[in-house]
């Protein structure tokens, strides 16, 4: 795919480009920092950009440390369904929760914080992990007349994936910019993401395809 022309109805959703998801962080995604210059260049092509920010309270129930005897990357059953337990990360008002220092998107119109409820995780920019509690982003985009959502960020197979699939569910045209993402690939999660995108018809392109 080539030559996607960007217009006023398009928005770039930049997911969780934060210190804890980059090398040296508490939940580092391999090569996570490598997407920063790609995202910066992409953002300059969009009039409308939204940033999301993972923002957890200390002792969040998605942290393995909140479950004695459990280790990071194990899966447990929560009241809302299965939940991967993570290392403590992106704790509110800590350096790990800050955006990567080289992220340069001064014209971002909204910073959406997610995961701030200590009892439930939130991968998606649209819903908490119970899959019914909205963040309000869907309504925000529709009220502003934005119709196409382009996604970049971390991690492709978790927060980017859930955000892309939920954007599709809200009726937006969705495109994931692959070289502006990196994946964790936990227990086949990357393959599942690719299959999910294909099933929904979510486009995957490179940044060079964006006009």
């Amino acid at each position: 795919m080539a030559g996607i022309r960007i217009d006023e109805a398009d928005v770039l959703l930049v997911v969780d480009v934060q210190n804890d998801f980059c090398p040296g962080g508490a939940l580092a995604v391999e090569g996570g920092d490598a997407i920063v210059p790609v995202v910066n260049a992409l953002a300059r092509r969009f009039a409308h950009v939204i940033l999301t920010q993972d923002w957890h309270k200390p002792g969040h129930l998605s942290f393995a440390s909140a479950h004695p005897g459990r280790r990071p990357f194990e899966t447990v059953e929560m009241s809302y369904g299965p939940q991967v337990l993570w290392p403590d990360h992106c704790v509110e008002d800590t350096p790990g929760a800050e955006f990567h220092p080289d992220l340069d998107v001064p014209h971002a119109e909204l910073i959406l914080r997610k995961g701030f409820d200590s009892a439930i995780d939130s991968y998606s920019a649209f819903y908490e992990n119970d899959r019914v509690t909205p963040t309000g982003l869907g309504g925000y985009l529709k009220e502003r007349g934005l119709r196409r959502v382009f996604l970049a960020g971390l991690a492709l197979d978790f927060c980017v994936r859930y955000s892309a699939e939920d954007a599709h569910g809200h009726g937006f045209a969705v495109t994931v910019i692959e070289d502006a993402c990196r994946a964790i690939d936990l227990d086949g999660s990357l393959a599942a993401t690719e299959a999910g995108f294909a099933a929904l018809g979510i486009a995957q392109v490179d940044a060079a395809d964006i006009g």
Side-chain angles (χ1 to χ4, degrees):
M1 185 181 295
I4 301 173
R5 185 177 295 276
I6 300 304
D7 62 31
E8 283 290 328
D10 298 330
V11 60
L12 178 65
L13 182 60
V14 179
V15 178
D16 298 357
V17 183
Q18 295 167 256
N19 289 329
D20 268 347
F21 296 127
C22 292
L27 184 49
V29 180
E30 184 176 356
D33 55 344
I35 73 168
V36 173
V38 182
V39 170
N40 289 343
L42 268 171
R44 290 192 283 272
R45 304 174 204 170
F46 286 80
H48 308 295
V49 181
I50 293 171
L51 309 178
T52 75
Q53 191 173 22
D54 226 24
W55 197 255
H56 297 308
K57 290 181 171 60
H60 194 277
L61 281 185
S62 70
F63 295 166
S65 62
H67 302 265
R70 294 288 191 172
R71 295 182 177 181
F73 308 111
E74 292 183 356
T75 299
V76 298
E77 195 69 24
M78 299 287 204
S79 61
Y80 52 85
Q83 171 68 51
V84 176
L85 297 179
W86 304 108
D88 290 27
H89 67 281
C90 296
V91 174
E92 58 187 27
D93 202 28
T94 65
E98 293 175 3
F99 292 116
H100 189 283
D102 293 335
L103 187 67
D104 183 23
V105 190
H107 64 296
E109 297 167 336
L110 176 70
I111 295 173
L112 185 141
R113 287 175 170 170
K114 58 188 183 66
F116 50 79
D117 184 333
S118 61
I120 186 169
D121 206 0
S122 184
Y123 298 155
S124 174
F126 291 86
Y127 291 100
E128 307 281 8
N129 278 12
D130 61 4
R131 314 303 300 138
V132 295
T133 304
T135 66
L137 181 60
Y140 173 89
L141 296 177
K142 288 178 180 179
E143 286 200 11
R144 295 204 53 209
L146 300 168
R147 294 189 295 273
R148 289 197 301 182
V149 178
F150 294 77
L151 291 103
L154 304 168
L156 173 62
D157 43 343
F158 283 91
C159 295
V160 174
R161 175 192 179 179
Y162 279 76
S163 299
E165 292 179 352
D166 286 343
H168 178 273
H170 273 280
F172 299 104
V174 181
T175 299
V176 174
I177 305 167
E178 289 186 291
D179 57 342
C181 301
R182 291 294 186 275
I184 295 174
D185 200 10
L186 180 65
D187 296 330
S189 56
L190 180 56
T193 297
E194 300 286 349
F197 288 169
L200 295 175
I202 292 174
Q204 298 179 77
V205 303
D206 289 332
D209 298 322
I210 307 296

